[in-house]
Amino acid sequence: MALKEAVRRKLDEFRPRTTRLAKEYGKVKIDEVTIEQCIGGARDIRCLVTDISYLDPQEGIRFRGKTIPETFAALPKAPGSEYPTVESFWYFLLTGEVPTQAQVDEVLVDWKKRQEVPGYVFDIIRAMPRDSHPMTMLSTGIGAMQRESKFAAYYTSGSFNKLGAWEYVYEDACDIVARIPVLAAFIYNLKYRDDAPLAIDPALDMGANFARMIGQGDEYMDVARMYFILHSDHESGNVSAHATHLVHSALSDPYLSYAAGLNGLAGPLHGRANQEVLDWTLKFQKKYCSNEEPTRELITKALWDTLNSGQVIPGYGHAVLRKTDPRYTSQREFCQKHLPGDPLFKLVSMIFEVAPGVLAEHGKTKNPWPNVDAQSGVIQWHYGVKEWDFYTVLFGVGRALGCMANLTWDRGLGYAIERPKSVTTSMLEKWAAEGGRS
Ligand code: HAX
């Protein structure tokens, strides 16, 4: 498999750099920690390493050094489409190299071989109450599939070797990214289409096949491709990526690790914000616009009502970004091109005009601008995926790409078990009184 060999080559090139940094420059200081950071969620402390993507507060995400438009422009496209296949993006995330069409085709064939989800996983999900949240079903499905882990089998084989372990993480990673859309489609059909599963199309790329598997037409294929790529990676400090990395650092296999990541993604301050945005917007329509068109005044009132009731405005703010999220912009451009007249898009655009001003006046958030989740649900809604509690599952399918690429590299570079040090409140009070920890 050319991709695995490309990853091996890249890891061999990288390993001496990491080893040298740790050995020769290990004591060089790159950051210091304040009491505010210690109490406030470790915000902005530089203590994780990843080369898969980097998030600049002003510019937004770069995947392997490329902005979103550069990434879309550089990668080989799906047949008849202006978007790249997820397979080509996977090659790029893992290696940093733009693949040839032949290399992309090889990934596509490889994923088809890996794609089958064992029947017992479906049985377990079917046994859950039908009104369980789809994210609970997804994380249960990934956790249940742990039985298939090649890394776990290798660990207990008696011949575990630290240097070779990445190959087994790579195998699990490829299995997970190939299977998770099939699992997600199963959950969608179980919950919303009377448990009427649709077969895998052996000829279609991941995005196109996913469209087919949830009963969508051809026009949804690019939506799926764009959505999975945009949601893939956001460097490694966000809750889902960090949880995945943390759990794997104990040498838990990629299934256990990504189930943990998904559980983090399910939180309303993280991935579930896309569900919350749709919920907020539809409630707004129902409450304020049953007899009249939405106006800036009505939106302003609704935003203040939300803030005054102690809730956050979903889809706005970010822990790192200080500008409009380019993932938001990319989806907005898609809407402007493909669904400019959609009433929900118009409403969300109006919220975009008003919300930053309201949040700035409210004065709490460091970033009043929209994030990825403010725009994504509108597109799903427009194309007929109206079950908005499913939107975080779509995020989880995309995020698997970033988390699995990162785990492969984590193991390839032999990153250590994660174990930050905690302190007590009394210690903080003592150091506060002394002006710092001596
Ligand atoms: N509405 C109201 N208040 C907000 C806010 C928002 N959208 N965003 C931040 N704030 C508040 C915070 O709750 C915090 O208040 P307290 O001091 O009372 O605790 C204050 O402003 C300072 O927060 P911050 O430093 O600007 O932001 P954080 O790094 O603490 O939090 C969050 C970042 C994304 C969690 C936050 O902006 C938020 O809750 N946004 C709404 C939920 C959301 O859209 N989440 C998705 C983020 C993107 C993502 O991960 N997608 O998966």
Side-chain angles (χ1 to χ4, degrees), residues 40 43 231 234 238-239 265 267-274 277 307 311-320 322 325 327 359 362-367 371-374 395 399:
R43 197 71 79 258
H231 287 80
H234 221 219
N238 65 80
V239 171
L265 192 69
L269 296 189
H270 189 21
R272 188 182 159 131
N274 59 10
V277 167
L307 291 170
Q311 292 166 276
V312 295
I313 306 297
Y316 283 77
H318 201 274
V320 177
R322 294 296 175 256
D325 189 337
R327 300 172 300 173
L359 280 165
H362 183 242
K364 271 191 168 183
T365 178
K366 295 186 189 71
N367 173 37
N371 60 57
V372 64
D373 299 312
F395 196 152
R399 183 49 54 99

mmCIF file of all heavy atoms in Angstrom, residues 40 43 231 234 238-239 265 267-274 277 307 311-320 322 325 327 359 362-367 371-374 395 399, ligand 1:
data_model
loop_
_atom_site.group_PDB
_atom_site.id
_atom_site.type_symbol
_atom_site.label_atom_id
_atom_site.label_comp_id
_atom_site.label_asym_id
_atom_site.label_seq_id
_atom_site.Cartn_x
_atom_site.Cartn_y
_atom_site.Cartn_z
ATOM 1 N N GLY A 40 -8.457 28.225 34.371
ATOM 2 C CA GLY A 40 -9.314 28.476 33.203
ATOM 3 C C GLY A 40 -9.110 27.524 32.050
ATOM 4 O O GLY A 40 -9.005 27.956 30.897
ATOM 5 N N ARG A 43 -6.087 27.239 28.897
ATOM 6 C CA ARG A 43 -6.195 27.959 27.626
ATOM 7 C C ARG A 43 -4.846 28.495 27.165
ATOM 8 O O ARG A 43 -4.130 29.142 27.921
ATOM 9 C CB ARG A 43 -7.186 29.139 27.804
ATOM 10 C CG ARG A 43 -7.710 29.725 26.535
ATOM 11 C CD ARG A 43 -8.695 28.793 25.813
ATOM 12 N NE ARG A 43 -10.013 28.837 26.404
ATOM 13 C CZ ARG A 43 -10.487 27.896 27.214
ATOM 14 N NH1 ARG A 43 -9.755 26.854 27.552
ATOM 15 N NH2 ARG A 43 -11.705 27.970 27.694
ATOM 16 N N HIS A 231 -14.616 19.487 8.837
ATOM 17 C CA HIS A 231 -14.713 19.169 10.264
ATOM 18 C C HIS A 231 -13.592 18.250 10.764
ATOM 19 O O HIS A 231 -13.594 17.841 11.920
ATOM 20 C CB HIS A 231 -16.069 18.518 10.567
ATOM 21 C CG HIS A 231 -17.201 19.493 10.511
ATOM 22 N ND1 HIS A 231 -17.779 19.891 9.337
ATOM 23 C CD2 HIS A 231 -17.845 20.173 11.491
ATOM 24 C CE1 HIS A 231 -18.737 20.774 9.587
ATOM 25 N NE2 HIS A 231 -18.797 20.965 10.888
ATOM 26 N N HIS A 234 -8.607 20.377 13.843
ATOM 27 C CA HIS A 234 -8.508 21.760 14.303
ATOM 28 C C HIS A 234 -7.407 21.837 15.329
ATOM 29 O O HIS A 234 -7.611 22.210 16.456
ATOM 30 C CB HIS A 234 -9.859 22.217 14.884
ATOM 31 C CG HIS A 234 -10.234 23.602 14.502
ATOM 32 N ND1 HIS A 234 -10.841 24.474 15.358
ATOM 33 C CD2 HIS A 234 -10.079 24.283 13.335
ATOM 34 C CE1 HIS A 234 -11.057 25.621 14.744
ATOM 35 N NE2 HIS A 234 -10.606 25.532 13.516
ATOM 36 N N ASN A 238 -8.319 20.884 21.035
ATOM 37 C CA ASN A 238 -9.785 20.881 21.228
ATOM 38 C C ASN A 238 -10.210 19.587 21.924
ATOM 39 O O ASN A 238 -9.462 18.603 21.939
ATOM 40 C CB ASN A 238 -10.503 21.070 19.897
ATOM 41 C CG ASN A 238 -10.273 19.922 18.956
ATOM 42 O OD1 ASN A 238 -10.903 18.879 19.068
ATOM 43 N ND2 ASN A 238 -9.325 20.067 18.036
ATOM 44 N N VAL A 239 -11.416 19.598 22.491
ATOM 45 C CA VAL A 239 -11.805 18.507 23.394
ATOM 46 C C VAL A 239 -11.767 17.133 22.705
ATOM 47 O O VAL A 239 -11.212 16.172 23.253
ATOM 48 C CB VAL A 239 -13.201 18.775 23.996
ATOM 49 C CG1 VAL A 239 -13.715 17.542 24.750
ATOM 50 C CG2 VAL A 239 -13.149 19.962 24.953
ATOM 51 N N LEU A 265 -16.918 15.289 21.918
ATOM 52 C CA LEU A 265 -17.538 16.034 20.807
ATOM 53 C C LEU A 265 -19.035 16.237 21.046
ATOM 54 O O LEU A 265 -19.636 17.194 20.560
ATOM 55 C CB LEU A 265 -17.317 15.266 19.489
ATOM 56 C CG LEU A 265 -17.639 16.016 18.203
ATOM 57 C CD1 LEU A 265 -16.641 17.152 17.970
ATOM 58 C CD2 LEU A 265 -17.641 15.078 17.005
ATOM 59 N N GLY A 267 -20.508 17.232 23.559
ATOM 60 C CA GLY A 267 -20.847 18.326 24.484
ATOM 61 C C GLY A 267 -21.332 19.572 23.755
ATOM 62 O O GLY A 267 -20.841 19.891 22.668
ATOM 63 N N PRO A 268 -22.306 20.311 24.345
ATOM 64 C CA PRO A 268 -22.870 21.489 23.668
ATOM 65 C C PRO A 268 -21.881 22.633 23.446
ATOM 66 O O PRO A 268 -22.096 23.452 22.562
ATOM 67 C CB PRO A 268 -24.023 21.917 24.585
ATOM 68 C CG PRO A 268 -23.781 21.239 25.889
ATOM 69 C CD PRO A 268 -22.980 20.006 25.604
ATOM 70 N N LEU A 269 -20.805 22.700 24.231
ATOM 71 C CA LEU A 269 -19.825 23.761 23.977
ATOM 72 C C LEU A 269 -18.877 23.372 22.855
ATOM 73 O O LEU A 269 -18.080 24.183 22.384
ATOM 74 C CB LEU A 269 -19.030 24.080 25.251
ATOM 75 C CG LEU A 269 -19.822 24.657 26.420
ATOM 76 C CD1 LEU A 269 -18.887 25.119 27.535
ATOM 77 C CD2 LEU A 269 -20.716 25.830 25.989
ATOM 78 N N HIS A 270 -18.939 22.104 22.439
ATOM 79 C CA HIS A 270 -18.053 21.632 21.356
ATOM 80 C C HIS A 270 -18.932 21.211 20.162
ATOM 81 O O HIS A 270 -19.692 22.016 19.646
ATOM 82 C CB HIS A 270 -17.183 20.504 21.925
ATOM 83 C CG HIS A 270 -16.063 20.043 21.041
ATOM 84 N ND1 HIS A 270 -15.536 20.786 20.029
ATOM 85 C CD2 HIS A 270 -15.347 18.862 21.033
ATOM 86 C CE1 HIS A 270 -14.561 20.110 19.438
ATOM 87 N NE2 HIS A 270 -14.437 18.932 20.023
ATOM 88 N N GLY A 271 -18.866 19.954 19.741
ATOM 89 C CA GLY A 271 -19.521 19.562 18.487
ATOM 90 C C GLY A 271 -21.032 19.680 18.485
ATOM 91 O O GLY A 271 -21.647 19.918 17.440
ATOM 92 N N ARG A 272 -21.641 19.493 19.643
ATOM 93 C CA ARG A 272 -23.098 19.554 19.674
ATOM 94 C C ARG A 272 -23.624 20.967 19.414
ATOM 95 O O ARG A 272 -24.828 21.182 19.255
ATOM 96 C CB ARG A 272 -23.603 19.016 21.023
ATOM 97 C CG ARG A 272 -25.112 18.871 21.073
ATOM 98 C CD ARG A 272 -25.584 18.388 22.429
ATOM 99 N NE ARG A 272 -26.971 18.733 22.613
ATOM 100 C CZ ARG A 272 -27.904 17.908 23.026
ATOM 101 N NH1 ARG A 272 -27.600 16.673 23.341
ATOM 102 N NH2 ARG A 272 -29.146 18.308 23.181
ATOM 103 N N ALA A 273 -22.722 21.944 19.387
ATOM 104 C CA ALA A 273 -23.175 23.315 19.096
ATOM 105 C C ALA A 273 -23.906 23.377 17.760
ATOM 106 O O ALA A 273 -24.802 24.203 17.578
ATOM 107 C CB ALA A 273 -21.985 24.274 19.108
ATOM 108 N N ASN A 274 -23.569 22.486 16.800
ATOM 109 C CA ASN A 274 -24.279 22.556 15.500
ATOM 110 C C ASN A 274 -25.758 22.186 15.657
ATOM 111 O O ASN A 274 -26.627 22.772 15.021
ATOM 112 C CB ASN A 274 -23.564 21.727 14.412
ATOM 113 C CG ASN A 274 -23.418 20.258 14.745
ATOM 114 O OD1 ASN A 274 -23.998 19.748 15.705
ATOM 115 N ND2 ASN A 274 -22.617 19.550 13.949
ATOM 116 N N VAL A 277 -27.448 25.192 17.373
ATOM 117 C CA VAL A 277 -27.691 26.335 16.470
ATOM 118 C C VAL A 277 -29.021 26.144 15.737
ATOM 119 O O VAL A 277 -29.852 27.058 15.684
ATOM 120 C CB VAL A 277 -26.537 26.474 15.446
ATOM 121 C CG1 VAL A 277 -26.920 27.430 14.312
ATOM 122 C CG2 VAL A 277 -25.277 26.980 16.129
ATOM 123 N N LEU A 307 -28.976 35.459 26.154
ATOM 124 C CA LEU A 307 -27.863 35.854 27.032
ATOM 125 C C LEU A 307 -28.363 36.162 28.443
ATOM 126 O O LEU A 307 -27.758 35.727 29.437
ATOM 127 C CB LEU A 307 -27.146 37.080 26.452
ATOM 128 C CG LEU A 307 -26.358 36.831 25.158
ATOM 129 C CD1 LEU A 307 -25.893 38.153 24.540
ATOM 130 C CD2 LEU A 307 -25.158 35.917 25.425
ATOM 131 N N GLN A 311 -27.647 31.668 29.048
ATOM 132 C CA GLN A 311 -27.155 30.689 28.065
ATOM 133 C C GLN A 311 -26.177 31.347 27.095
ATOM 134 O O GLN A 311 -26.138 32.573 26.967
ATOM 135 C CB GLN A 311 -28.339 30.122 27.274
ATOM 136 C CG GLN A 311 -29.259 29.256 28.115
ATOM 137 C CD GLN A 311 -30.560 29.024 27.382
ATOM 138 O OE1 GLN A 311 -31.481 29.834 27.416
ATOM 139 N NE2 GLN A 311 -30.624 27.910 26.687
ATOM 140 N N VAL A 312 -25.412 30.496 26.419
ATOM 141 C CA VAL A 312 -24.509 31.026 25.385
ATOM 142 C C VAL A 312 -25.245 31.086 24.050
ATOM 143 O O VAL A 312 -26.240 30.388 23.842
ATOM 144 C CB VAL A 312 -23.241 30.152 25.231
ATOM 145 C CG1 VAL A 312 -22.398 30.183 26.492
ATOM 146 C CG2 VAL A 312 -23.578 28.711 24.839
ATOM 147 N N ILE A 313 -24.754 31.941 23.158
ATOM 148 C CA ILE A 313 -25.272 31.955 21.782
ATOM 149 C C ILE A 313 -24.531 30.850 21.034
ATOM 150 O O ILE A 313 -23.318 30.966 20.790
ATOM 151 C CB ILE A 313 -24.987 33.319 21.083
ATOM 152 C CG1 ILE A 313 -25.523 34.494 21.907
ATOM 153 C CG2 ILE A 313 -25.548 33.318 19.661
ATOM 154 C CD1 ILE A 313 -27.002 34.528 22.104
ATOM 155 N N PRO A 314 -25.227 29.777 20.669
ATOM 156 C CA PRO A 314 -24.508 28.676 20.030
ATOM 157 C C PRO A 314 -23.980 29.072 18.653
ATOM 158 O O PRO A 314 -24.630 29.820 17.929
ATOM 159 C CB PRO A 314 -25.567 27.559 19.927
ATOM 160 C CG PRO A 314 -26.883 28.251 19.995
ATOM 161 C CD PRO A 314 -26.678 29.511 20.785
ATOM 162 N N GLY A 315 -22.783 28.562 18.337
ATOM 163 C CA GLY A 315 -22.203 28.858 17.027
ATOM 164 C C GLY A 315 -21.349 30.118 17.021
ATOM 165 O O GLY A 315 -20.792 30.473 15.985
ATOM 166 N N TYR A 316 -21.260 30.793 18.170
ATOM 167 C CA TYR A 316 -20.446 32.013 18.249
ATOM 168 C C TYR A 316 -19.412 31.870 19.349
ATOM 169 O O TYR A 316 -19.667 31.249 20.376
ATOM 170 C CB TYR A 316 -21.335 33.247 18.486
ATOM 171 C CG TYR A 316 -22.015 33.648 17.198
ATOM 172 C CD1 TYR A 316 -23.119 32.924 16.736
ATOM 173 C CD2 TYR A 316 -21.510 34.666 16.401
ATOM 174 C CE1 TYR A 316 -23.713 33.243 15.520
ATOM 175 C CE2 TYR A 316 -22.103 34.982 15.176
ATOM 176 C CZ TYR A 316 -23.196 34.269 14.742
ATOM 177 O OH TYR A 316 -23.757 34.561 13.539
ATOM 178 N N GLY A 317 -18.231 32.461 19.116
ATOM 179 C CA GLY A 317 -17.146 32.387 20.089
ATOM 180 C C GLY A 317 -16.219 31.233 19.772
ATOM 181 O O GLY A 317 -16.566 30.302 19.040
ATOM 182 N N HIS A 318 -15.013 31.325 20.310
ATOM 183 C CA HIS A 318 -14.046 30.235 20.142
ATOM 184 C C HIS A 318 -12.913 30.410 21.145
ATOM 185 O O HIS A 318 -12.547 31.532 21.483
ATOM 186 C CB HIS A 318 -13.480 30.214 18.711
ATOM 187 C CG HIS A 318 -12.903 28.894 18.356
ATOM 188 N ND1 HIS A 318 -11.602 28.538 18.663
ATOM 189 C CD2 HIS A 318 -13.462 27.807 17.768
ATOM 190 C CE1 HIS A 318 -11.389 27.302 18.251
ATOM 191 N NE2 HIS A 318 -12.497 26.828 17.718
ATOM 192 N N ALA A 319 -12.374 29.274 21.561
ATOM 193 C CA ALA A 319 -11.292 29.325 22.553
ATOM 194 C C ALA A 319 -9.984 29.829 21.960
ATOM 195 O O ALA A 319 -9.140 30.373 22.686
ATOM 196 C CB ALA A 319 -11.099 27.943 23.164
ATOM 197 N N VAL A 320 -9.783 29.659 20.668
ATOM 198 C CA VAL A 320 -8.519 30.078 20.033
ATOM 199 C C VAL A 320 -8.754 31.196 19.008
ATOM 200 O O VAL A 320 -8.058 32.212 19.021
ATOM 201 C CB VAL A 320 -7.823 28.879 19.335
ATOM 202 C CG1 VAL A 320 -6.559 29.330 18.612
ATOM 203 C CG2 VAL A 320 -7.499 27.772 20.346
ATOM 204 N N ARG A 322 -9.926 34.371 16.878
ATOM 205 C CA ARG A 322 -10.339 35.741 17.212
ATOM 206 C C ARG A 322 -10.931 36.451 15.990
ATOM 207 O O ARG A 322 -11.007 37.679 15.949
ATOM 208 C CB ARG A 322 -9.128 36.530 17.771
ATOM 209 C CG ARG A 322 -8.640 35.995 19.114
ATOM 210 C CD ARG A 322 -9.707 36.159 20.207
ATOM 211 N NE ARG A 322 -9.322 35.549 21.476
ATOM 212 C CZ ARG A 322 -9.809 34.387 21.920
ATOM 213 N NH1 ARG A 322 -10.698 33.697 21.218
ATOM 214 N NH2 ARG A 322 -9.437 33.911 23.089
ATOM 215 N N ASP A 325 -14.528 32.232 11.727
ATOM 216 C CA ASP A 325 -13.927 30.930 11.422
ATOM 217 C C ASP A 325 -13.949 30.701 9.901
ATOM 218 O O ASP A 325 -15.019 30.754 9.281
ATOM 219 C CB ASP A 325 -14.798 29.870 12.136
ATOM 220 C CG ASP A 325 -14.215 28.480 12.111
ATOM 221 O OD1 ASP A 325 -13.407 28.188 11.224
ATOM 222 O OD2 ASP A 325 -14.602 27.681 13.001
ATOM 223 N N ARG A 327 -13.895 28.068 8.374
ATOM 224 C CA ARG A 327 -14.794 26.942 8.078
ATOM 225 C C ARG A 327 -16.226 27.458 7.931
ATOM 226 O O ARG A 327 -17.016 26.942 7.153
ATOM 227 C CB ARG A 327 -14.703 25.885 9.186
ATOM 228 C CG ARG A 327 -13.314 25.298 9.373
ATOM 229 C CD ARG A 327 -13.231 24.411 10.601
ATOM 230 N NE ARG A 327 -13.552 25.127 11.833
ATOM 231 C CZ ARG A 327 -13.685 24.555 13.028
ATOM 232 N NH1 ARG A 327 -13.531 23.246 13.161
ATOM 233 N NH2 ARG A 327 -13.959 25.287 14.095
ATOM 234 N N LEU A 359 -22.920 40.391 21.034
ATOM 235 C CA LEU A 359 -21.935 39.737 21.912
ATOM 236 C C LEU A 359 -20.855 40.728 22.368
ATOM 237 O O LEU A 359 -20.405 40.680 23.518
ATOM 238 C CB LEU A 359 -21.305 38.532 21.203
ATOM 239 C CG LEU A 359 -22.164 37.267 21.219
ATOM 240 C CD1 LEU A 359 -21.666 36.243 20.203
ATOM 241 C CD2 LEU A 359 -22.201 36.645 22.612
ATOM 242 N N HIS A 362 -22.407 42.739 25.024
ATOM 243 C CA HIS A 362 -22.536 41.891 26.215
ATOM 244 C C HIS A 362 -21.208 41.867 26.976
ATOM 245 O O HIS A 362 -21.167 41.849 28.212
ATOM 246 C CB HIS A 362 -22.938 40.483 25.755
ATOM 247 C CG HIS A 362 -23.194 39.500 26.835
ATOM 248 N ND1 HIS A 362 -22.450 38.354 26.985
ATOM 249 C CD2 HIS A 362 -24.121 39.473 27.825
ATOM 250 C CE1 HIS A 362 -22.906 37.656 28.009
ATOM 251 N NE2 HIS A 362 -23.932 38.315 28.546
ATOM 252 N N GLY A 363 -20.117 41.871 26.201
ATOM 253 C CA GLY A 363 -18.803 42.137 26.786
ATOM 254 C C GLY A 363 -18.075 40.981 27.436
ATOM 255 O O GLY A 363 -17.051 41.201 28.078
ATOM 256 N N LYS A 364 -18.580 39.786 27.312
ATOM 257 C CA LYS A 364 -17.882 38.683 27.978
ATOM 258 C C LYS A 364 -16.935 37.943 27.044
ATOM 259 O O LYS A 364 -15.773 37.717 27.355
ATOM 260 C CB LYS A 364 -18.908 37.680 28.519
ATOM 261 C CG LYS A 364 -19.377 37.992 29.935
ATOM 262 C CD LYS A 364 -20.169 36.804 30.454
ATOM 263 C CE LYS A 364 -20.430 36.894 31.927
ATOM 264 N NZ LYS A 364 -21.138 35.703 32.393
ATOM 265 N N THR A 365 -17.469 37.503 25.891
ATOM 266 C CA THR A 365 -16.663 36.626 25.042
ATOM 267 C C THR A 365 -15.460 37.360 24.429
ATOM 268 O O THR A 365 -15.558 38.541 24.077
ATOM 269 C CB THR A 365 -17.519 35.982 23.928
ATOM 270 O OG1 THR A 365 -16.678 35.176 23.123
ATOM 271 C CG2 THR A 365 -18.195 37.022 23.030
ATOM 272 N N LYS A 366 -14.365 36.642 24.313
ATOM 273 C CA LYS A 366 -13.166 37.238 23.696
ATOM 274 C C LYS A 366 -13.298 37.233 22.176
ATOM 275 O O LYS A 366 -12.519 37.873 21.492
ATOM 276 C CB LYS A 366 -11.923 36.453 24.118
ATOM 277 C CG LYS A 366 -11.646 36.539 25.620
ATOM 278 C CD LYS A 366 -10.327 35.878 25.971
ATOM 279 C CE LYS A 366 -10.156 35.770 27.476
ATOM 280 N NZ LYS A 366 -11.039 34.783 28.106
ATOM 281 N N ASN A 367 -14.248 36.450 21.673
ATOM 282 C CA ASN A 367 -14.400 36.358 20.221
ATOM 283 C C ASN A 367 -15.889 36.346 19.848
ATOM 284 O O ASN A 367 -16.553 35.334 20.015
ATOM 285 C CB ASN A 367 -13.727 35.074 19.712
ATOM 286 C CG ASN A 367 -14.007 34.839 18.250
ATOM 287 O OD1 ASN A 367 -14.064 35.779 17.458
ATOM 288 N ND2 ASN A 367 -14.195 33.591 17.878
ATOM 289 N N ASN A 371 -18.391 30.532 14.576
ATOM 290 C CA ASN A 371 -17.516 29.385 14.348
ATOM 291 C C ASN A 371 -18.191 28.432 13.356
ATOM 292 O O ASN A 371 -19.288 28.706 12.859
ATOM 293 C CB ASN A 371 -17.160 28.709 15.684
ATOM 294 C CG ASN A 371 -18.385 28.210 16.437
ATOM 295 O OD1 ASN A 371 -19.158 27.420 15.906
ATOM 296 N ND2 ASN A 371 -18.566 28.685 17.670
ATOM 297 N N VAL A 372 -17.558 27.308 13.111
ATOM 298 C CA VAL A 372 -18.012 26.348 12.095
ATOM 299 C C VAL A 372 -19.480 25.955 12.265
ATOM 300 O O VAL A 372 -20.201 25.728 11.300
ATOM 301 C CB VAL A 372 -17.101 25.089 12.131
ATOM 302 C CG1 VAL A 372 -17.206 24.349 13.460
ATOM 303 C CG2 VAL A 372 -17.347 24.138 10.981
ATOM 304 N N ASP A 373 -19.923 25.894 13.525
ATOM 305 C CA ASP A 373 -21.245 25.332 13.801
ATOM 306 C C ASP A 373 -22.395 26.285 13.485
ATOM 307 O O ASP A 373 -23.551 25.866 13.433
ATOM 308 C CB ASP A 373 -21.325 24.908 15.277
ATOM 309 C CG ASP A 373 -20.300 23.843 15.598
ATOM 310 O OD1 ASP A 373 -20.211 22.876 14.831
ATOM 311 O OD2 ASP A 373 -19.566 23.983 16.596
ATOM 312 N N ALA A 374 -22.083 27.565 13.280
ATOM 313 C CA ALA A 374 -23.151 28.539 13.029
ATOM 314 C C ALA A 374 -23.770 28.363 11.646
ATOM 315 O O ALA A 374 -24.865 28.848 11.381
ATOM 316 C CB ALA A 374 -22.611 29.965 13.185
ATOM 317 N N PHE A 395 -20.394 15.534 12.205
ATOM 318 C CA PHE A 395 -19.138 16.134 12.686
ATOM 319 C C PHE A 395 -18.185 15.001 13.104
ATOM 320 O O PHE A 395 -16.993 14.994 12.760
ATOM 321 C CB PHE A 395 -19.470 17.052 13.867
ATOM 322 C CG PHE A 395 -18.401 18.034 14.267
ATOM 323 C CD1 PHE A 395 -18.757 19.243 14.864
ATOM 324 C CD2 PHE A 395 -17.050 17.776 14.084
ATOM 325 C CE1 PHE A 395 -17.796 20.167 15.259
ATOM 326 C CE2 PHE A 395 -16.079 18.704 14.470
ATOM 327 C CZ PHE A 395 -16.459 19.887 15.064
ATOM 328 N N ARG A 399 -14.451 14.330 11.995
ATOM 329 C CA ARG A 399 -13.389 14.479 12.991
ATOM 330 C C ARG A 399 -12.528 13.220 13.116
ATOM 331 O O ARG A 399 -11.360 13.279 13.517
ATOM 332 C CB ARG A 399 -14.032 14.894 14.327
ATOM 333 C CG ARG A 399 -13.136 15.194 15.517
ATOM 334 C CD ARG A 399 -12.003 16.132 15.228
ATOM 335 N NE ARG A 399 -12.316 17.423 14.635
ATOM 336 C CZ ARG A 399 -12.427 18.569 15.294
ATOM 337 N NH1 ARG A 399 -12.264 18.591 16.585
ATOM 338 N NH2 ARG A 399 -12.670 19.709 14.649
HETATM 339 N N1 HAX B 1 -22.415 33.364 24.042
HETATM 340 C C1 HAX B 1 -22.437 33.856 25.295
HETATM 341 N N2 HAX B 1 -21.352 33.917 26.089
HETATM 342 C C2 HAX B 1 -20.203 33.489 25.560
HETATM 343 C C3 HAX B 1 -20.104 32.997 24.251
HETATM 344 C C4 HAX B 1 -21.284 32.904 23.482
HETATM 345 N N3 HAX B 1 -21.294 32.417 22.253
HETATM 346 N N4 HAX B 1 -18.827 32.623 24.014
HETATM 347 C C5 HAX B 1 -18.148 32.886 25.149
HETATM 348 N N5 HAX B 1 -18.977 33.405 26.078
HETATM 349 C C6 HAX B 1 -18.664 33.727 27.459
HETATM 350 C C7 HAX B 1 -18.115 32.515 28.171
HETATM 351 O O1 HAX B 1 -19.164 31.634 28.577
HETATM 352 C C8 HAX B 1 -17.343 33.121 29.286
HETATM 353 O O2 HAX B 1 -18.260 33.499 30.279
HETATM 354 P P1 HAX B 1 -17.913 33.371 31.853
HETATM 355 O O3 HAX B 1 -16.773 34.316 32.065
HETATM 356 O O4 HAX B 1 -19.165 33.779 32.533
HETATM 357 O O5 HAX B 1 -17.532 31.953 32.081
HETATM 358 C C9 HAX B 1 -16.778 34.380 28.644
HETATM 359 O O6 HAX B 1 -17.606 34.669 27.506
HETATM 360 C C10 HAX B 1 -15.341 34.254 28.175
HETATM 361 O O7 HAX B 1 -15.250 33.140 27.299
HETATM 362 P P2 HAX B 1 -14.160 33.093 26.147
HETATM 363 O O8 HAX B 1 -12.820 33.127 26.784
HETATM 364 O O9 HAX B 1 -14.448 34.082 25.080
HETATM 365 O O10 HAX B 1 -14.459 31.664 25.494
HETATM 366 P P3 HAX B 1 -14.022 30.220 26.025
HETATM 367 O O11 HAX B 1 -12.692 29.926 25.444
HETATM 368 O O12 HAX B 1 -14.147 30.110 27.496
HETATM 369 O O13 HAX B 1 -15.141 29.314 25.378
HETATM 370 C C11 HAX B 1 -16.544 28.474 23.664
HETATM 371 C C12 HAX B 1 -15.137 29.017 23.999
HETATM 372 C C13 HAX B 1 -16.537 28.025 22.223
HETATM 373 C C14 HAX B 1 -16.832 27.289 24.567
HETATM 374 C C15 HAX B 1 -17.572 29.625 23.876
HETATM 375 O O14 HAX B 1 -17.293 30.679 22.966
HETATM 376 C C16 HAX B 1 -19.002 29.157 23.698
HETATM 377 O O15 HAX B 1 -19.593 28.658 24.655
HETATM 378 N N6 HAX B 1 -19.594 29.336 22.458
HETATM 379 C C17 HAX B 1 -20.946 28.837 22.189
HETATM 380 C C18 HAX B 1 -20.952 27.337 21.965
HETATM 381 C C19 HAX B 1 -20.288 27.004 20.657
HETATM 382 O O16 HAX B 1 -20.569 27.564 19.615
HETATM 383 N N7 HAX B 1 -19.381 26.026 20.703
HETATM 384 C C20 HAX B 1 -18.676 25.517 19.492
HETATM 385 C C21 HAX B 1 -17.259 26.041 19.381
HETATM 386 C C22 HAX B 1 -16.536 25.510 18.165
HETATM 387 C C23 HAX B 1 -16.354 24.058 18.292
HETATM 388 O O17 HAX B 1 -15.637 23.525 19.125
HETATM 389 N N8 HAX B 1 -17.053 23.338 17.519
HETATM 390 O O18 HAX B 1 -17.093 22.024 17.727
#
